[in-house]
Each structure stands twice: as structure tokens, then as C-alpha cells.
Amino acid sequence: EDLKIIETTGGKTEIQEMALSKWSGSKQLWWLDGKPGDKLVLSLPVEKAGRYAIQAALTRAIDYGIVRIALDDQPLGEPIDLFNDGVITRVQRLGTRELSAGEHRLTVEITGANPKAVPRHMFGLDYVKLDPAD
């Protein structure tokens, strides 16, 4: 939830307090009122160059959307459906990448919503974790 926001092309962001203790610091970076095609771009700092397994703890709920996540404009896997009947957080493996030291761009793009979802297209990020990979 502490990643620096570089830009958003729609909607608004805020730090949301989470009543449930399953979120680190009991907070998330909350993006709401976005529409399909809107993007949220975050700065992802990398201290040391290397190969990393990338994971993100993402919120899932009845009014959350389907998003595509990219790192430096390269997609990290397939779109992720964040619909869930109830509010939860779940760690999502995003792939493994070779990263240089410095700032990288993590882009979240809203691509749609699950047919069962309330179409608010929300997104919640608890954290991004970079684990050294062999």
C-alpha cells in the first residue's frame, strides 16, 4: 500500500483501513471508480539487480474487477479476476523477471468485471514482494 503512485488515467486512489487483520498494516491501496481501459501506474523500487519471483497480495470482493498487471510494459501473466463473494486478500504469483536496480513501473489496467460482480471495477493492493529466484 506504500508504493508511490506515478499516474492514474481514471478513478481515484486512497489508503483504506481494513478492519480485518489479514492485510499488512491493516491497510490497502484502494483504487475505485475506474472503468475498463483505465490504468494505475505505481513505482516499484528494486534495491539490487537480479532475478526475482514477483508476488502481490490483492484484495478480492464482490465489486472488484478483472485486471491485467504489467511490469515495465510487459504483461505479468493473464488477467486476474478479483471477484469473490466476501472480502479477502490472497497472494497472487505474477511471474519471474530479471530486474535492474532502480525504479520500475508496475501498471494495473482494468479489463472488465466478472458477470457475477457488482460492476464497480475496484482494485486493492496490500503489498508487492520480490523474492530472489534461482
Side-chain angles (χ1 to χ4, degrees):
E1 67 262 12
D2 294 329
L3 294 179
K4 179 179 147 194
I5 298 169
I6 296 172
E7 70 176 298
T8 57
T9 61
K12 61 184 177 182
T13 60
E14 61 185 68
I15 301 299
Q16 181 186 32
E17 297 287 332
M18 302 302 289
L20 304 172
S21 63
K22 294 181 179 175
W23 284 259
S24 67
S26 298
K27 295 184 253 180
Q28 71 169 351
L29 173 60
W30 191 29
W31 183 26
L32 58 158
D33 297 331
K35 305 279 186 263
D38 286 344
K39 294 180 182 179
L40 168 66
V41 184
L42 304 169
S43 175
L44 180 65
V46 176
E47 286 186 27
K48 181 180 175 187
R51 187 165 179 78
Y52 292 95
I54 306 163
Q55 300 179 74
L58 305 176
T59 302
R60 296 167 188 264
I62 197 165
D63 47 5
Y64 279 51
I66 299 172
V67 298
R68 178 181 312 271
I69 299 177
L71 184 63
D72 298 328
D73 299 321
Q74 298 300 311
L76 291 171
E78 297 299 316
I80 303 164
D81 186 349
L82 299 174
F83 170 80
N84 190 72
D85 189 9
V87 181
I88 63 169
T89 182
R90 182 178 301 153
V91 175
Q92 181 81 37
R93 290 186 174 94
L94 300 175
T96 303
R97 293 287 162 85
E98 191 74 34
L99 300 174
S100 61
E103 299 292 319
H104 293 266
R105 292 171 58 94
L106 187 73
T107 302
V108 180
E109 178 181 0
I110 298 170
T111 63
N114 186 302
K116 295 183 240 171
V118 175
R120 298 262 335 262
H121 305 103
M122 289 194 266
F123 173 80
L125 175 68
D126 185 10
Y127 63 81
V128 175
K129 185 177 179 187
L130 302 176
D131 286 322
D134 296 331

PDB file of all heavy atoms in Angstrom, residues 13-31:
ATOM      1  N   THR A  13      -7.648   7.086  -5.979  1.00  0.00           N
ATOM      2  CA  THR A  13      -6.958   6.169  -5.071  1.00  0.00           C
ATOM      3  C   THR A  13      -6.944   6.749  -3.668  1.00  0.00           C
ATOM      4  O   THR A  13      -6.994   7.971  -3.482  1.00  0.00           O
ATOM      5  CB  THR A  13      -5.507   5.922  -5.523  1.00  0.00           C
ATOM      6  OG1 THR A  13      -4.811   7.160  -5.553  1.00  0.00           O
ATOM      7  CG2 THR A  13      -5.446   5.252  -6.874  1.00  0.00           C
ATOM      8  N   GLU A  14      -6.871   5.858  -2.710  1.00  0.00           N
ATOM      9  CA  GLU A  14      -6.715   6.254  -1.309  1.00  0.00           C
ATOM     10  C   GLU A  14      -6.164   5.061  -0.535  1.00  0.00           C
ATOM     11  O   GLU A  14      -6.193   3.926  -1.020  1.00  0.00           O
ATOM     12  CB  GLU A  14      -8.030   6.732  -0.714  1.00  0.00           C
ATOM     13  CG  GLU A  14      -9.140   5.697  -0.702  1.00  0.00           C
ATOM     14  CD  GLU A  14     -10.471   6.261  -0.199  1.00  0.00           C
ATOM     15  OE1 GLU A  14     -11.066   7.100  -0.897  1.00  0.00           O
ATOM     16  OE2 GLU A  14     -10.885   5.843   0.901  1.00  0.00           O
ATOM     17  N   ILE A  15      -5.656   5.341   0.636  1.00  0.00           N
ATOM     18  CA  ILE A  15      -5.251   4.267   1.533  1.00  0.00           C
ATOM     19  C   ILE A  15      -6.475   3.944   2.381  1.00  0.00           C
ATOM     20  O   ILE A  15      -7.021   4.826   3.049  1.00  0.00           O
ATOM     21  CB  ILE A  15      -4.058   4.683   2.427  1.00  0.00           C
ATOM     22  CG1 ILE A  15      -2.855   5.066   1.575  1.00  0.00           C
ATOM     23  CG2 ILE A  15      -3.718   3.563   3.412  1.00  0.00           C
ATOM     24  CD1 ILE A  15      -2.311   3.956   0.692  1.00  0.00           C
ATOM     25  N   GLN A  16      -6.906   2.695   2.313  1.00  0.00           N
ATOM     26  CA  GLN A  16      -8.106   2.280   3.032  1.00  0.00           C
ATOM     27  C   GLN A  16      -7.707   1.433   4.234  1.00  0.00           C
ATOM     28  O   GLN A  16      -6.926   0.482   4.111  1.00  0.00           O
ATOM     29  CB  GLN A  16      -9.020   1.467   2.108  1.00  0.00           C
ATOM     30  CG  GLN A  16     -10.303   1.028   2.782  1.00  0.00           C
ATOM     31  CD  GLN A  16     -11.140   0.111   1.906  1.00  0.00           C
ATOM     32  OE1 GLN A  16     -10.616  -0.654   1.122  1.00  0.00           O
ATOM     33  NE2 GLN A  16     -12.452   0.192   2.067  1.00  0.00           N
ATOM     34  N   GLU A  17      -8.253   1.786   5.381  1.00  0.00           N
ATOM     35  CA  GLU A  17      -8.072   0.977   6.586  1.00  0.00           C
ATOM     36  C   GLU A  17      -8.913  -0.287   6.427  1.00  0.00           C
ATOM     37  O   GLU A  17     -10.078  -0.214   6.031  1.00  0.00           O
ATOM     38  CB  GLU A  17      -8.537   1.746   7.828  1.00  0.00           C
ATOM     39  CG  GLU A  17      -7.740   3.000   8.110  1.00  0.00           C
ATOM     40  CD  GLU A  17      -6.353   2.722   8.638  1.00  0.00           C
ATOM     41  OE1 GLU A  17      -6.136   1.675   9.282  1.00  0.00           O
ATOM     42  OE2 GLU A  17      -5.464   3.562   8.403  1.00  0.00           O
ATOM     43  N   MET A  18      -8.310  -1.428   6.725  1.00  0.00           N
ATOM     44  CA  MET A  18      -9.010  -2.705   6.625  1.00  0.00           C
ATOM     45  C   MET A  18      -9.261  -3.228   8.033  1.00  0.00           C
ATOM     46  O   MET A  18      -8.314  -3.404   8.811  1.00  0.00           O
ATOM     47  CB  MET A  18      -8.192  -3.702   5.815  1.00  0.00           C
ATOM     48  CG  MET A  18      -7.857  -3.219   4.405  1.00  0.00           C
ATOM     49  SD  MET A  18      -9.300  -2.823   3.392  1.00  0.00           S
ATOM     50  CE  MET A  18      -9.957  -4.448   3.088  1.00  0.00           C
ATOM     51  N   ALA A  19     -10.522  -3.481   8.357  1.00  0.00           N
ATOM     52  CA  ALA A  19     -10.883  -3.927   9.701  1.00  0.00           C
ATOM     53  C   ALA A  19     -10.314  -5.309   9.998  1.00  0.00           C
ATOM     54  O   ALA A  19     -10.024  -5.634  11.140  1.00  0.00           O
ATOM     55  CB  ALA A  19     -12.399  -3.925   9.862  1.00  0.00           C
ATOM     56  N   LEU A  20     -10.164  -6.114   8.969  1.00  0.00           N
ATOM     57  CA  LEU A  20      -9.633  -7.457   9.170  1.00  0.00           C
ATOM     58  C   LEU A  20      -8.117  -7.389   9.225  1.00  0.00           C
ATOM     59  O   LEU A  20      -7.488  -6.656   8.473  1.00  0.00           O
ATOM     60  CB  LEU A  20     -10.083  -8.369   8.024  1.00  0.00           C
ATOM     61  CG  LEU A  20     -11.597  -8.454   7.814  1.00  0.00           C
ATOM     62  CD1 LEU A  20     -11.911  -9.213   6.539  1.00  0.00           C
ATOM     63  CD2 LEU A  20     -12.273  -9.096   9.005  1.00  0.00           C
ATOM     64  N   SER A  21      -7.502  -8.156  10.083  1.00  0.00           N
ATOM     65  CA  SER A  21      -6.055  -8.064  10.293  1.00  0.00           C
ATOM     66  C   SER A  21      -5.240  -8.853   9.276  1.00  0.00           C
ATOM     67  O   SER A  21      -4.035  -8.970   9.421  1.00  0.00           O
ATOM     68  CB  SER A  21      -5.716  -8.529  11.707  1.00  0.00           C
ATOM     69  OG  SER A  21      -6.083  -9.894  11.852  1.00  0.00           O
ATOM     70  N   LYS A  22      -5.861  -9.387   8.239  1.00  0.00           N
ATOM     71  CA  LYS A  22      -5.130 -10.194   7.262  1.00  0.00           C
ATOM     72  C   LYS A  22      -4.321  -9.338   6.288  1.00  0.00           C
ATOM     73  O   LYS A  22      -3.504  -9.849   5.555  1.00  0.00           O
ATOM     74  CB  LYS A  22      -6.097 -11.098   6.503  1.00  0.00           C
ATOM     75  CG  LYS A  22      -6.715 -12.121   7.428  1.00  0.00           C
ATOM     76  CD  LYS A  22      -7.655 -13.029   6.715  1.00  0.00           C
ATOM     77  CE  LYS A  22      -8.182 -14.004   7.757  1.00  0.00           C
ATOM     78  NZ  LYS A  22      -9.171 -14.873   7.324  1.00  0.00           N
ATOM     79  N   TRP A  23      -4.534  -8.026   6.268  1.00  0.00           N
ATOM     80  CA  TRP A  23      -3.778  -7.124   5.411  1.00  0.00           C
ATOM     81  C   TRP A  23      -2.589  -6.597   6.217  1.00  0.00           C
ATOM     82  O   TRP A  23      -2.747  -6.244   7.396  1.00  0.00           O
ATOM     83  CB  TRP A  23      -4.643  -5.957   4.947  1.00  0.00           C
ATOM     84  CG  TRP A  23      -5.611  -6.326   3.871  1.00  0.00           C
ATOM     85  CD1 TRP A  23      -5.455  -6.072   2.536  1.00  0.00           C
ATOM     86  CD2 TRP A  23      -6.866  -6.994   3.993  1.00  0.00           C
ATOM     87  NE1 TRP A  23      -6.534  -6.544   1.828  1.00  0.00           N
ATOM     88  CE2 TRP A  23      -7.415  -7.124   2.707  1.00  0.00           C
ATOM     89  CE3 TRP A  23      -7.581  -7.515   5.082  1.00  0.00           C
ATOM     90  CZ2 TRP A  23      -8.641  -7.735   2.477  1.00  0.00           C
ATOM     91  CZ3 TRP A  23      -8.794  -8.129   4.853  1.00  0.00           C
ATOM     92  CH2 TRP A  23      -9.314  -8.238   3.561  1.00  0.00           C
ATOM     93  N   SER A  24      -1.420  -6.503   5.593  1.00  0.00           N
ATOM     94  CA  SER A  24      -0.255  -5.973   6.298  1.00  0.00           C
ATOM     95  C   SER A  24      -0.535  -4.538   6.726  1.00  0.00           C
ATOM     96  O   SER A  24      -1.056  -3.743   5.943  1.00  0.00           O
ATOM     97  CB  SER A  24       0.992  -6.035   5.408  1.00  0.00           C
ATOM     98  OG  SER A  24       0.862  -5.154   4.320  1.00  0.00           O
ATOM     99  N   GLY A  25      -0.266  -4.247   7.959  1.00  0.00           N
ATOM    100  CA  GLY A  25      -0.551  -2.903   8.457  1.00  0.00           C
ATOM    101  C   GLY A  25      -2.030  -2.586   8.511  1.00  0.00           C
ATOM    102  O   GLY A  25      -2.410  -1.430   8.697  1.00  0.00           O
ATOM    103  N   SER A  26      -2.881  -3.574   8.288  1.00  0.00           N
ATOM    104  CA  SER A  26      -4.347  -3.409   8.268  1.00  0.00           C
ATOM    105  C   SER A  26      -4.793  -2.327   7.280  1.00  0.00           C
ATOM    106  O   SER A  26      -5.754  -1.597   7.518  1.00  0.00           O
ATOM    107  CB  SER A  26      -4.882  -3.121   9.667  1.00  0.00           C
ATOM    108  OG  SER A  26      -4.602  -4.200  10.530  1.00  0.00           O
ATOM    109  N   LYS A  27      -4.058  -2.201   6.137  1.00  0.00           N
ATOM    110  CA  LYS A  27      -4.382  -1.198   5.120  1.00  0.00           C
ATOM    111  C   LYS A  27      -4.197  -1.775   3.726  1.00  0.00           C
ATOM    112  O   LYS A  27      -3.506  -2.773   3.544  1.00  0.00           O
ATOM    113  CB  LYS A  27      -3.457   0.017   5.246  1.00  0.00           C
ATOM    114  CG  LYS A  27      -3.595   0.802   6.501  1.00  0.00           C
ATOM    115  CD  LYS A  27      -2.692   2.004   6.441  1.00  0.00           C
ATOM    116  CE  LYS A  27      -1.528   1.778   7.378  1.00  0.00           C
ATOM    117  NZ  LYS A  27      -0.585   2.862   7.406  1.00  0.00           N
ATOM    118  N   GLN A  28      -4.790  -1.087   2.748  1.00  0.00           N
ATOM    119  CA  GLN A  28      -4.546  -1.406   1.343  1.00  0.00           C
ATOM    120  C   GLN A  28      -4.552  -0.121   0.531  1.00  0.00           C
ATOM    121  O   GLN A  28      -5.148   0.878   0.935  1.00  0.00           O
ATOM    122  CB  GLN A  28      -5.604  -2.359   0.794  1.00  0.00           C
ATOM    123  CG  GLN A  28      -6.975  -1.739   0.601  1.00  0.00           C
ATOM    124  CD  GLN A  28      -7.923  -2.607  -0.191  1.00  0.00           C
ATOM    125  OE1 GLN A  28      -7.552  -3.626  -0.752  1.00  0.00           O
ATOM    126  NE2 GLN A  28      -9.188  -2.205  -0.248  1.00  0.00           N
ATOM    127  N   LEU A  29      -3.882  -0.164  -0.619  1.00  0.00           N
ATOM    128  CA  LEU A  29      -4.008   0.899  -1.608  1.00  0.00           C
ATOM    129  C   LEU A  29      -5.267   0.559  -2.388  1.00  0.00           C
ATOM    130  O   LEU A  29      -5.354  -0.506  -3.011  1.00  0.00           O
ATOM    131  CB  LEU A  29      -2.790   0.929  -2.537  1.00  0.00           C
ATOM    132  CG  LEU A  29      -2.887   1.900  -3.720  1.00  0.00           C
ATOM    133  CD1 LEU A  29      -3.067   3.338  -3.259  1.00  0.00           C
ATOM    134  CD2 LEU A  29      -1.666   1.758  -4.608  1.00  0.00           C
ATOM    135  N   TRP A  30      -6.250   1.430  -2.317  1.00  0.00           N
ATOM    136  CA  TRP A  30      -7.572   1.167  -2.889  1.00  0.00           C
ATOM    137  C   TRP A  30      -7.786   2.070  -4.088  1.00  0.00           C
ATOM    138  O   TRP A  30      -7.634   3.293  -3.999  1.00  0.00           O
ATOM    139  CB  TRP A  30      -8.613   1.450  -1.816  1.00  0.00           C
ATOM    140  CG  TRP A  30     -10.004   1.010  -2.114  1.00  0.00           C
ATOM    141  CD1 TRP A  30     -10.420  -0.027  -2.885  1.00  0.00           C
ATOM    142  CD2 TRP A  30     -11.193   1.601  -1.588  1.00  0.00           C
ATOM    143  NE1 TRP A  30     -11.780  -0.123  -2.877  1.00  0.00           N
ATOM    144  CE2 TRP A  30     -12.284   0.870  -2.081  1.00  0.00           C
ATOM    145  CE3 TRP A  30     -11.436   2.675  -0.745  1.00  0.00           C
ATOM    146  CZ2 TRP A  30     -13.601   1.175  -1.766  1.00  0.00           C
ATOM    147  CZ3 TRP A  30     -12.752   2.982  -0.421  1.00  0.00           C
ATOM    148  CH2 TRP A  30     -13.817   2.232  -0.929  1.00  0.00           C
ATOM    149  N   TRP A  31      -8.129   1.463  -5.215  1.00  0.00           N
ATOM    150  CA  TRP A  31      -8.429   2.190  -6.451  1.00  0.00           C
ATOM    151  C   TRP A  31      -9.891   1.955  -6.752  1.00  0.00           C
ATOM    152  O   TRP A  31     -10.327   0.809  -6.912  1.00  0.00           O
ATOM    153  CB  TRP A  31      -7.534   1.675  -7.565  1.00  0.00           C
ATOM    154  CG  TRP A  31      -7.669   2.353  -8.887  1.00  0.00           C
ATOM    155  CD1 TRP A  31      -8.092   3.623  -9.149  1.00  0.00           C
ATOM    156  CD2 TRP A  31      -7.358   1.790 -10.163  1.00  0.00           C
ATOM    157  NE1 TRP A  31      -8.063   3.894 -10.497  1.00  0.00           N
ATOM    158  CE2 TRP A  31      -7.608   2.775 -11.143  1.00  0.00           C
ATOM    159  CE3 TRP A  31      -6.884   0.558 -10.579  1.00  0.00           C
ATOM    160  CZ2 TRP A  31      -7.411   2.555 -12.506  1.00  0.00           C
ATOM    161  CZ3 TRP A  31      -6.683   0.334 -11.930  1.00  0.00           C
ATOM    162  CH2 TRP A  31      -6.938   1.329 -12.878  1.00  0.00           C
TER     163      TRP A  31
END
